[in-house]
Amino acid sequence: MITARFIRNKRLWRIASARWQRRAIFLLGGIVIGAAAVVLAQLADLAQDVFGLLLAKSRYAVLVVTPLGFMLSAYLTIRLFPGAQGSGIPQAIAARHLNDQAARARLVSLRIAAGKMILTLFGLLCGASIGREGPTVQVGASVMFAIGRVSPRRQPGLILAGAAAGVAAAFNTPLAGIVFGIEEMSRAFETRTSSLIIAAVIAAGLTSLALAGNYAYFGSSVTSLARGTDWLAVPLCGVVGGLAGGLFSRIVIATARGFKNPLGRAIKVHPLWFAFACGLAVAVCGLVSGDTIYGTGYEQVKTALEHGSALPQDFGVLKLLATTLAAISGIPGGIFSPSLAVGAGIGSNIASFFHDAPLGAIMLLGMVSYFAGVVQAPITAFVIVTEMTDNHGMVVPLMAAALIAHVTSRMICEEGIYHALAKGFVERATRPPEAKAPPASS
């Protein structure tokens, strides 16, 4: 009897120990991700400041610096950090659908995370229209993958938690992190790991708060739609933002899959020169815009919202073009912040048709509409914009605009950009070695 009791107690101890070990992995991962997000955010600001100094010296220097920077970033990505290109969110989604640990490691690992951070910062240093939030998601998934190697059976949940924690820490939006994990990363609510995912998000959020303080990403906004006619901006922003977001996604997805024509073959054979051409086009967009479309677009949008001032009329279109060029060039960099900036530009343009309506409110509608059109995750879109502006009075119109944009976007692009791109990573990872194409050269 004593032996049986001892065996039972030993088994219970092992079960309890495994549970606490799993909880510790999620909490430790959340803390590391929160710290990494703060470091990346501060270095990203510094990189943009340094690029601003270059513009102050000579704004035409971008005609050399930006294309060469794109080319070098693409080269380093292909040769040293394959799997680090683009946003990083498709890689995290793909890693969740893979069962082979080696295949996962080619998409989410500490090596990839380091390369992602370095090359994202380098892109901002060269004036690329990219964001840091998508890369933070891949970094978060990579951190969780590395910490959780002791429990490979839990990898899908760990990667999901790392991605959600990355969003929460990058934007200081814990609720949006949870919603993003459910709606975009998993497309389902996993009851077995839900509490641990929330714990990781909380740990990342608290770490970010401790290091960077409590703040709203775009500042606090109290603007709202005052009159009945102001609400006409909701469907207008939803349709325009959805069309623009769907078009952006379709272009990026089509380029990633390749074109069966001479241009497509030239891009595949000479990826570095294609990156150079994209960088040169971004530099031209920057010069035409008066140096407003480089980087994340955060400062321009934050200033416009805080002061209630309109963005330049060509800001939205040129920012959309510059972000598209950066996204298809093959360099690492996210589309979260640039998408919100494009949406703000669209909203600012639409506001010119509503002279008495609050400019800030319509800019928020443009932001949520375009973002929802790109990612086709409407709940995540309006939760993120609500939390980033600390404006709960706009919840209903933001929700309506996001849903309209989502429906409109699907008319142009059948699938959200992240999941469509993730399929490409899964296919390449599961393709037999002899069927894989040789790496493209310049």
Side-chain angles (χ1 to χ4, degrees):
M1 183 179 295
I2 295 176
T3 303
R5 184 181 302 171
F6 175 78
I7 293 174
R8 185 170 63 254
N9 290 339
K10 188 176 181 181
R11 187 182 301 114
L12 292 173
W13 168 255
R14 286 179 178 175
I15 294 172
S17 177
R19 287 177 179 172
W20 281 107
Q21 182 186 56
R22 190 162 64 250
R23 292 169 183 169
I25 288 172
F26 277 82
L27 290 173
L28 176 61
I31 293 171
V32 174
I33 293 166
V38 171
V39 170
L40 182 57
Q42 294 180 347
L43 290 178
D45 291 341
L46 179 61
Q48 292 183 98
D49 290 341
V50 172
F51 180 74
L53 294 176
L54 173 67
L55 291 177
K57 292 289 185 180
S58 173
R59 61 189 301 258
Y60 293 99
V62 296
L63 293 172
V64 176
V65 172
T66 303
L68 288 179
F70 270 52
M71 178 181 267
L72 179 57
S73 180
Y75 174 80
L76 294 174
T77 301
I78 294 170
R79 299 301 180 189
L80 300 181
F81 304 105
Q85 67 269 31
S87 163
I89 295 176
Q91 290 94 314
I93 294 174
R96 292 195 69 247
H97 291 87
L98 294 171
N99 295 319
D100 182 65
Q101 288 291 82
R104 281 177 176 159
R106 288 192 287 271
L107 298 176
V108 287
S109 67
L110 293 182
R111 182 171 178 274
I112 292 293
K116 192 75 170 188
M117 294 179 69
I118 292 170
L119 293 179
T120 297
L121 294 171
F122 182 73
L124 292 171
L125 196 62
C126 298
S129 180
I130 56 176
R132 57 176 173 79
E133 293 77 22
T136 305
V137 169
Q138 190 175 14
V139 169
S142 298
V143 168
M144 280 297 194
F145 176 80
I147 296 177
R149 291 298 287 266
V150 296
S151 180
R153 290 179 303 149
R154 296 287 181 178
Q155 282 299 336
L158 284 165
I159 293 170
L160 172 59
V167 170
F171 283 118
N172 191 32
T173 52
L175 181 58
I178 296 170
V179 172
F180 173 81
I182 296 170
E183 183 183 32
E184 185 63 11
M185 283 295 299
S186 69
R187 294 287 171 94
F189 191 68
E190 301 184 6
T191 55
R192 290 185 178 181
T193 55
S194 60
S195 60
L196 294 177
I197 292 170
I198 294 172
V201 169
I202 292 173
L206 289 176
T207 303
S208 176
L209 286 174
L211 296 176
N214 189 17
Y215 66 96
Y217 192 84
F218 284 119
S220 296
S221 171
V222 295
T223 186
S224 62
L225 300 177
R227 303 182 308 159
T229 55
D230 295 350
W231 282 76
L232 294 175
V234 173
L236 184 56
C237 285
V239 170
V240 175
L243 290 173
L247 179 62
F248 168 83
S249 296
R250 185 158 185 170
I251 292 172
V252 174
I253 294 169
T255 306
R257 291 175 176 170
F259 302 104
K260 295 180 180 179
N261 55 34
L263 175 61
R265 289 190 289 272
I267 292 173
K268 187 175 182 179
V269 175
H270 304 289
L272 302 189
W273 286 110
F274 179 66
F276 180 92
C278 289
L280 182 60
V282 168
V284 173
C285 288
L287 292 173
V288 173
S289 72
D291 305 330
T292 61
I293 55 85
Y294 301 116
T296 63
Y298 166 76
E299 286 295 336
Q300 291 87 343
V301 176
K302 188 172 186 291
T303 300
L305 288 174
E306 286 181 342
H307 297 89
S309 55
L311 290 165
Q313 285 294 309
D314 59 359
F315 177 83
V317 173
L318 291 173
K319 186 67 176 175
L320 171 58
L321 182 57
T323 305
T324 304
L325 291 164
I328 66 176
S329 67
I331 69 171
I335 60 174
F336 259 72
S337 289
S339 293
L340 294 169
V342 171
I346 292 173
S348 182
N349 291 339
I350 291 175
S352 62
F353 297 100
F354 298 86
H355 301 290
D356 297 324
L359 174 62
I362 300 182
M363 286 177 64
L364 295 183
L365 292 174
M367 292 164 66
V368 77
S369 298
Y370 180 77
F371 185 71
V374 171
V375 301
Q376 294 189 7
I379 300 175
T380 298
F382 81 76
V383 170
I384 276 185
V385 173
T386 299
E387 280 197 286
M388 286 193 310
T389 57
D390 194 25
N391 187 334
H392 299 282
M394 284 287 291
V395 168
V396 173
L398 289 176
M399 188 185 305
L403 292 173
I404 293 170
H406 175 236
V407 173
T408 305
S409 175
R410 288 183 67 86
M411 296 178 183
I412 298 178
C413 188
E414 295 181 355
E415 189 173 11
I417 187 171
Y418 294 139
H419 283 267
L421 295 177
K423 287 181 180 179
F425 285 106
V426 172
E427 290 172 359
R428 285 190 289 273
T430 55
R431 192 182 304 159
E434 61 274 10
K436 293 181 180 179
S441 63
S442 60

